[in-house]
Amino acid sequence: MEPESDSLEASETRRLFGHRLARIAAAWRREIDIDLRTFGLTDATWRPIYYLNFSATAMRQTDLARSLSLEAPSLVRLLDVLEKRGYVVRETDEEDRRSKLVSITDEGRQVAALVSRVADEVTARLTAAISDQELDECGRVLDRVEQAVQAHRELASPAPLPRRDTGAGKEE
């Protein structure tokens, strides 16, 4: 094979990598979603519960929206539903009274345990024909991609502006 041809194949492999990764992630989530529908949960309802379960403390609504790639108004409507079901509670953030903190309830943790169990079953089903060694190798590759994303974000993000003291005992 000619060097130029090798370069084109490598370029095509790299070009398709992100597309395949996104497609697989969406398909994986769809598999979990299908299995959870029997419990009355949808992708929209189980994902916030799943994320909140991993948080040791209450989470700001804006941070949760960002984690879920949702617009704030969409998350507010979703949290209304989850709060009515008793899975989450929202409280005013004492540090910033304009913000709401979201935390998972005990009932929400039970649902999160169900979601985790179903996610584990989907994982076992989808990876049954893959060796532990292959999964470890794939994990290392994904770790490197994630590190590259983080490094790019850090380089692209402007440094936060320093807060200034107004002398009134409050920072602006």
Side-chain angles (χ1 to χ4, degrees):
M1 205 176 261
E2 298 174 18
E4 187 175 315
S5 177
D6 286 346
S7 177
L8 288 175
E9 281 184 30
S11 175
E12 182 70 3
T13 299
R14 289 180 184 281
R15 187 180 72 74
L16 291 175
F17 181 81
H19 175 72
R20 290 174 71 194
L21 187 61
R23 196 177 69 234
I24 290 166
W28 200 296
R29 263 184 38 199
R30 231 179 351 267
E31 287 295 309
I32 294 170
D33 191 46
I34 289 166
D35 288 10
L36 284 171
R37 284 182 187 262
T38 59
F39 300 101
L41 296 168
T42 64
D43 185 64
T45 55
W46 68 259
R47 286 182 59 229
I49 295 166
Y50 191 73
Y51 274 87
L52 286 168
N53 193 49
F54 288 109
S55 181
T57 60
M59 209 176 188
R60 281 198 171 130
Q61 271 186 199
T62 53
D63 294 335
L64 181 59
R66 199 173 306 113
S67 296
L68 297 169
S69 299
L70 290 175
E71 295 295 323
S74 298
L75 180 64
V76 168
R77 288 189 300 274
L78 178 55
L79 290 175
D80 287 342
V81 170
L82 295 176
E83 199 167 34
K84 284 179 187 167
R85 291 184 185 179
Y87 301 155
V88 301
V89 291
R90 287 179 281 188
E91 300 170 329
T92 302
D93 183 351
E94 292 302 321
E95 292 178 18
D96 180 355
R97 302 209 37 86
R98 298 166 298 170
S99 294
K100 293 282 187 188
L101 294 173
V102 185
S103 52
I104 191 167
T105 64
D106 289 339
E107 190 173 348
R109 289 202 189 280
Q110 291 174 9
V111 173
L114 168 70
V115 171
S116 291
R117 191 183 84 237
V118 169
D120 289 347
E121 290 168 2
V122 168
T123 298
R125 183 171 71 233
L126 298 181
T127 62
I130 303 169
S131 73
D132 288 347
Q133 182 180 353
E134 289 171 310
L135 287 173
D136 286 342
E137 185 176 338
C138 183
R140 285 191 296 277
V141 170
L142 293 175
D143 286 345
R144 289 173 57 197
V145 171
E146 188 174 29
Q147 289 164 1
V149 168
Q150 194 62 32
H152 178 75
R153 270 195 206 142
E154 289 170 4
L155 287 174
S157 296
L161 295 173
R163 293 181 149 188
R164 58 183 188 148
D165 190 346
T166 62
K170 249 182 123 175
E171 291 183 339
E172 283 187 73

